[in-house]
Amino acid sequence: MGIERTFSIIKPDATKRNITGKVIAKLEEGGLRVVASKRIHMSREQAEGFYSVHKDRPFFGELVEFMMSGPVVVQVLEGENAVLRNREIMGATNPAEAAPGTIRAEFAQSIGENSVHGSDAPETAKEEIAFFFKDEEIVG
Ligand code: CMP
């Protein structure tokens, strides 16, 4: 597969509990490298735009409010097969279904407050990275 990049968000439930370091440690221990990172407070426009693919879902309003409810850490991760690797390290969206040792099994509070987001495919990763980062902010 080769070296690839993916996009990651550490969500407000995790920043609120001061566990960003624990989340990043899981990513690094799993073989991924943080090549860009910033802590931001998402605007409504950013949250709605980022999650626009879910705009017709019943949980869209709740998702947007949650993502605006506190700071998040947006990151670009790099590594072998990074998109899939990140998804393995995060575990299933619903923490009740996440494999032991994954970020969501250990830290997530619910399907909505699930501590991390990760791109679902290489194409999505490119779009999501470009949504938050300029090329010169990625310093692998
Ligand atoms: P994420 O990977 O950030 O992508 C979309 C998010 O929607 C997902 O993680 C969950 O946090 C959220 N989500 C998915 N299903 C539900 C649900 N049933 N209720 C609330 N939030 C949800």
Side-chain angles (χ1 to χ4, degrees):
M1 286 300 283
I3 297 294
E4 189 176 69
R5 285 178 177 170
T6 190
F7 177 72
S8 161
I9 305 178
I10 303 178
K11 295 188 179 184
D13 65 285
T15 59
K16 190 173 174 182
R17 285 177 286 150
N18 202 24
I19 56 169
T20 58
K22 289 183 178 173
V23 171
I24 293 166
K26 288 268 190 199
L27 299 170
E28 291 179 340
E29 284 160 9
L32 297 174
R33 175 177 292 272
V34 179
V35 295
S37 175
K38 53 189 170 189
R39 189 175 176 103
I40 62 167
H41 202 137
M42 275 197 207
S43 64
R44 180 173 299 278
E45 194 184 0
Q46 281 176 312
E48 287 182 350
F50 182 76
Y51 279 118
S52 62
V53 65
H54 296 304
K55 68 178 186 307
D56 296 327
R57 303 280 198 102
F59 57 81
F60 182 66
E62 187 187 322
L63 175 60
V64 167
E65 291 301 327
F66 170 59
M67 293 304 287
M68 294 166 53
S69 70
V72 300
V73 181
V74 292
Q75 306 187 105
V76 180
L77 308 175
E78 190 175 83
E80 194 73 33
N81 211 359
V83 172
L84 250 180
R85 187 76 198 105
N86 184 38
R87 294 177 69 76
E88 287 170 0
I89 299 166
M90 291 192 298
T93 304
N94 183 347
E97 293 164 10
T102 60
I103 292 172
R104 284 165 172 160
E106 291 201 7
F107 305 126
Q109 299 183 301
S110 66
I111 192 166
E113 304 201 2
N114 64 354
S115 304
V116 277
H117 164 83
S119 307
D120 62 2
E123 263 319 297
T124 327
K126 284 200 182 70
E127 290 169 18
E128 292 183 344
I129 290 169
F131 193 92
F132 284 104
F133 291 97
K134 298 180 186 136
D135 280 351
E136 61 265 31
E137 290 177 307
I138 303 169
V139 286

